[in-house]
Amino acid sequence: MSGVTIHEVATRAGVSASTVSRAFTNPQLVRADTRDRVLQLARDLGYTPNRAARGLITGRTGNIGVVVPDLANPFFSAVLKGANARAREADQIVFLADTDEDPGVEEDLVRAMAKQVDGIVLCSSRMSGHQLHELMPSIPLVLLNRREDDRPAVLFDNVAGVRRLLAHLGALGHRRVAYLGGPRTSWSDRERRRGMRLAARREAVDLVELGPFEPTYEGGLRAADPAAATGATAVVAFNDLMALGVLNRLAARGVAVPGEVSVAGFDGIPTAGMGALPLTTVALPMVQAGRAAIDLLLERLADPDPDAGRLQRVLDVDLLVRSTTATPLAPPPTPPPNPPTADVQGGRP
Amino acid sequence: MSGVTIHEVATRAGVSASTVSRAFTNPQLVRADTRDRVLQLARDLGYTPNRAARGLITGRTGNIGVVVPDLANPFFSAVLKGANARAREADQIVFLADTDEDPGVEEDLVRAMAKQVDGIVLCSSRMSGHQLHELMPSIPLVLLNRREDDRPAVLFDNVAGVRRLLAHLGALGHRRVAYLGGPRTSWSDRERRRGMRLAARREAVDLVELGPFEPTYEGGLRAADPAAATGATAVVAFNDLMALGVLNRLAARGVAVPGEVSVAGFDGIPTAGMGALPLTTVALPMVQAGRAAIDLLLERLADPDPDAGRLQRVLDVDLLVRSTTATPLAPPPTPPPNPPTADVQGGRP
DNA sequence: GTGAAAGCGCTAACAG
DNA sequence: CTGTTAGCGCTTTCAC
């Protein structure tokens, strides 16, 4: 908090505070030698302008806030990598906060941050549409991985992702695919379900929807048995963490993966050792998404009233076949023993 | 940045700004009904005090900075979880920054943050002692996982950790153990090497030190072959990420783990699926360390000139036997074919 | 090209 | 109990 003030620099340099200020913010307004002397002295003294005080008057702090539900989720670390890098290029610094998946905490944090940053990137916000709208007026907000009307947002093309995934599975001969859903409140989950239905129809595969499950490794462990019981030869999980759980549980049951069953996930999380797993996944460009979110925020700050909709970016996703997703070993077993409780869709149009 | 100001609240409530201010910071100084009216109105308007402006006068912002080299490292996400939780209890908010392992960036970030936070927790700082000392006067600093003279710090008891680990391995009959070292500049690595030497002597096992290696999954892949060539029946890696790489490479070579070789790591990173791996590890209490760092910082802020040394905490570490670390299959092969290039230590005193 | 003065949003005396 | 005054560190008119 404490530190060297502009006044000390000014006094020692034998100039006024205004001149020191100008040397930093408008160098061309200061005579070269004065400027150099001031800047050199500032460096020696370890002076850095107080961004908070500056913000008080300019309305710009040079800080950008990023809020995530859970820092331990590799998805968000990847997003943050991108956001950080882009922010640094723009000479902004990123302040990060973790809401612990709590919408109440999320709101408090945004409020507390609001005055200290120029704008906030909300990643996979858990807040209600109502809360979001209440917050909007107090601070420029960019959503990541969530759409809310036509607010600025960075989104992934989930529908295209599952289409590619199902095309891949279909080409290999899979005719019955289970989808293990994530949280009902998740925008991504809704999009992926929608995409799965479209793609299943198109590929003429039976789709079995299960869930919701917790979007975690444990959730995957729990989802594996119901998934196997559907008689599906391929399982698509809501995210990589769940897919990992499924793989593990199936392995424990002695099910051959890939072989009897193929498992696919979502995210493409960069975890050590993932490369060795028989896991095909829809890879989301998380780092790029982080960059894009900062881009959007900077644009919005430059032009506070842009055309609505101009500030939404939908990012392309890739299919990452980490190991051969196998052709089903045998024709899928005829009608599964325990018909799933979830609804069944698909079949030729 | 923008938002409702204290003045608007004051005007609408028919009181002065001071009263509003007091309602927030010293409620007992305001008559109950006035206070309630003001607070209610503030809530309705969505007013939150501007911490930056407040900090300008009080010298306290209510923000705490945490700086890490790499957010993608699960070690730091875990630390951050703890720090966040503790900070929230103290009604502080954590601003986080990622230095991308660059000491220059680290210094810049600390400087930029300094004026906007009350203190900073530097995790595994990559800065030189010189840089660190230059920064000290400008802002209260707490180090985590690094010792620098008697500056406030949270440290792990690495020496005790390796002692426990070697005792475990020794009891199982391992008589030759390889240590795969991390970065030379790492304080942890130096401590672990020191501890390994002490413990090896005490347990009467041969210690083979290798490295330095990159403290990553890839580093582990590269370290595996040299480690196997030493004829050691147990391998201790600098961290879990490396251990994972070793496991993978050994599996690819068809080496039985545990069996021919046992692998141990450091950290106890909470990655999905880790529990299923045959990996014994020294588990560092990372969440607790995050909490402790905030504690230290709060203490230091309350008492700016504490007894030197009172503000260092050394945290106990646990041995986490994730799966049975096996007894060596056979008496270790007599003199290894390729004597290691690194120095060999150990043997009975 | 540079300084003096005013004010950003807030809190801390000091009066009343 | 509450309002008035001053000023935190900085930038920005407006003079010179």
Side-chain angles (χ1 to χ4, degrees):
Chain A
M1 191 59 220
S2 72
V4 188
T5 78
I6 197 174
H7 218 81
E8 300 179 47
V9 180
T11 316
R12 300 222 201 180
V15 297
S16 75
S18 323
T19 301
V20 178
S21 172
R22 278 189 280 257
F24 276 92
T25 56
N26 261 41
Q28 74 281 12
L29 294 186
V30 181
R31 208 178 49 216
D33 61 331
T34 318
R35 182 186 59 219
D36 294 346
R37 186 160 43 90
V38 167
L39 291 179
Q40 184 52 50
L41 185 61
R43 196 179 325 278
D44 292 347
L45 263 43
Y47 167 78
T48 314
N50 183 331
R51 296 171 100 115
R54 172 185 288 179
L56 221 43
I57 178 149
T58 60
R60 291 284 298 261
T61 59
N63 303 327
I64 290 181
V66 177
V67 175
V68 301
D70 177 18
L71 272 172
N73 185 331
F75 176 88
F76 297 114
S77 348
V79 169
L80 283 164
K81 279 287 171 190
N84 244 310
R86 180 67 189 92
R88 187 139 46 241
E89 289 169 16
D91 206 36
Q92 303 271 120
I93 103 172
V94 167
F95 284 165
L96 179 58
D98 179 338
T99 70
D100 227 7
E101 303 274 2
D102 183 328
V105 172
E106 190 178 352
E107 184 174 351
D108 290 348
L109 282 176
V110 171
R111 285 233 146 80
M113 263 190 164
K115 311 287 189 11
Q116 318 192 50
V117 300
D118 299 334
I120 296 183
V121 176
L122 276 184
C123 300
S124 305
S125 174
R126 295 340 192 200
M127 286 192 284
S128 67
H130 180 69
Q131 283 174 298
L132 236 26
H133 281 281
E134 274 199 347
L135 251 23
M136 295 280 176
S138 60
I139 174 97
L141 243 37
V142 167
L143 302 177
L144 190 148
N145 201 25
R146 162 146 181 190
R147 192 198 298 271
E148 184 71 25
D149 308 334
D150 54 358
R151 316 314 308 202
V154 176
L155 306 164
F156 299 105
D157 193 346
N158 288 298
V159 173
V162 289
R163 174 157 26 86
R164 259 166 236 164
L165 181 52
L166 277 208
H168 175 68
L169 293 173
L172 290 170
H174 292 274
R175 284 289 156 266
R176 191 176 181 78
V177 175
Y179 175 69
L180 310 180
R184 282 259 181 264
T185 58
S186 159
W187 176 83
S188 304
D189 186 61
R190 287 195 299 278
E191 287 292 292
R192 287 171 200 175
R193 291 189 119 96
R194 185 164 72 82
M196 285 294 281
R197 288 177 196 146
L198 291 170
R201 181 171 293 267
R202 175 182 177 139
E203 297 295 328
V205 311
D206 280 349
L207 172 63
V208 188
E209 293 187 42
L210 301 177
F213 295 100
E214 273 177 67
T216 60
Y217 180 77
E218 286 71 27
L221 291 177
R222 277 190 286 275
D225 287 342
T230 64
T233 58
V235 173
V236 178
F238 169 68
N239 67 12
D240 281 351
L241 252 36
M242 275 184 65
L244 239 46
V246 172
L247 281 176
N248 230 286
R249 173 74 185 130
L250 291 180
R253 284 186 42 176
V255 177
V257 183
E260 293 170 63
V261 174
S262 290
V263 177
F266 252 92
D267 287 355
I269 62 175
T271 296
M274 286 288 284
L277 294 171
L279 180 64
T280 286
T281 192
V282 177
L284 310 181
M286 296 167 284
V287 176
Q288 194 192 327
R291 297 190 70 91
I294 301 295
D295 277 337
L296 244 45
L297 195 49
L298 293 174
E299 278 185 48
R300 181 150 170 0
L301 291 175
D303 171 11
D305 187 24
D307 302 340
R310 192 168 65 71
L311 292 183
Q312 292 203 342
R313 295 256 206 292
V314 179
L315 302 183
D316 261 2
V317 305
D318 266 336
L319 189 59
L320 183 60
V321 183
R322 276 227 188 81
S323 66
T324 317
T325 313
T327 304
L329 279 187
T334 34
N338 324 342
T341 55
D343 48 3
V344 179
Q345 306 216 3
R348 209 168 275 286
Chain B
M1 192 55 221
S2 72
V4 188
T5 77
I6 197 174
H7 218 80
E8 301 179 46
V9 180
T11 315
R12 302 223 199 179
V15 298
S16 76
S18 322
T19 303
V20 179
S21 172
R22 279 189 279 256
F24 276 91
T25 55
N26 260 40
Q28 73 281 12
L29 294 186
V30 181
R31 206 177 52 216
D33 61 332
T34 319
R35 181 187 59 219
D36 294 346
R37 186 161 42 89
V38 167
L39 291 180
Q40 184 53 49
L41 185 63
R43 197 180 324 277
D44 293 346
L45 264 43
Y47 167 78
T48 314
N50 184 328
R51 296 172 99 113
R54 175 186 284 179
L56 223 42
I57 179 146
T58 61
R60 292 283 297 259
T61 59
N63 303 326
I64 290 181
V66 177
V67 176
V68 302
D70 178 18
L71 273 172
N73 186 332
F75 176 88
F76 296 114
S77 347
V79 169
L80 283 164
K81 281 286 172 192
N84 245 310
R86 180 67 190 91
R88 186 139 47 238
E89 288 169 15
D91 206 36
Q92 304 271 121
I93 104 172
V94 166
F95 284 167
L96 180 58
D98 179 338
T99 69
D100 229 6
E101 303 275 2
D102 182 327
V105 172
E106 190 178 351
E107 183 174 353
D108 290 347
L109 281 177
V110 170
R111 285 233 145 81
M113 263 191 164
K115 310 287 190 12
Q116 319 191 51
V117 299
D118 299 334
I120 296 182
V121 175
L122 276 183
C123 300
S124 304
S125 174
R126 300 333 196 202
M127 286 192 285
S128 66
H130 180 68
Q131 283 174 298
L132 236 26
H133 280 281
E134 273 198 346
L135 251 24
M136 295 281 176
S138 59
I139 173 94
L141 244 36
V142 167
L143 302 177
L144 189 148
N145 202 23
R146 162 145 180 189
R147 193 198 296 270
E148 185 70 28
D149 308 335
D150 55 358
R151 317 312 309 200
V154 176
L155 306 164
F156 298 105
D157 193 346
N158 288 298
V159 173
V162 291
R163 175 157 24 87
R164 261 166 234 165
L165 180 53
L166 277 207
H168 174 68
L169 293 172
L172 288 169
H174 292 274
R175 284 289 157 267
R176 191 175 180 78
V177 175
Y179 175 70
L180 310 180
R184 282 259 180 263
T185 57
S186 158
W187 176 82
S188 304
D189 187 60
R190 286 195 299 275
E191 287 291 290
R192 287 170 199 175
R193 291 189 119 96
R194 185 164 71 84
M196 287 292 282
R197 288 177 197 147
L198 292 170
R201 178 172 297 264
R202 175 182 176 137
E203 296 295 327
V205 311
D206 279 350
L207 172 64
V208 188
E209 294 187 42
L210 301 177
F213 296 100
E214 273 176 67
T216 61
Y217 181 77
E218 287 70 28
L221 290 177
R222 277 189 285 276
D225 287 343
T230 64
T233 59
V235 173
V236 177
F238 170 68
N239 67 12
D240 281 351
L241 253 37
M242 275 184 65
L244 240 45
V246 172
L247 281 177
N248 229 287
R249 173 73 185 130
L250 291 180
R253 283 186 44 176
V255 176
V257 182
E260 292 171 64
V261 173
S262 291
V263 176
F266 251 92
D267 287 355
I269 61 175
T271 296
M274 287 287 284
L277 294 171
L279 180 63
T280 286
T281 191
V282 176
L284 310 181
M286 295 168 286
V287 176
Q288 194 192 328
R291 297 189 69 91
I294 302 295
D295 278 337
L296 245 44
L297 195 48
L298 293 174
E299 277 185 49
R300 182 152 168 358
L301 291 175
D303 172 12
D305 186 26
D307 301 341
R310 192 169 63 73
L311 292 183
Q312 292 203 341
R313 295 257 206 291
V314 178
L315 301 183
D316 259 4
V317 304
D318 266 336
L319 190 58
L320 182 60
V321 182
R322 276 226 188 80
S323 67
T324 318
T325 314
T327 305
L329 279 187
T334 35
N338 324 343
T341 54
D343 47 3
V344 179
Q345 304 218 3
R348 210 170 274 284

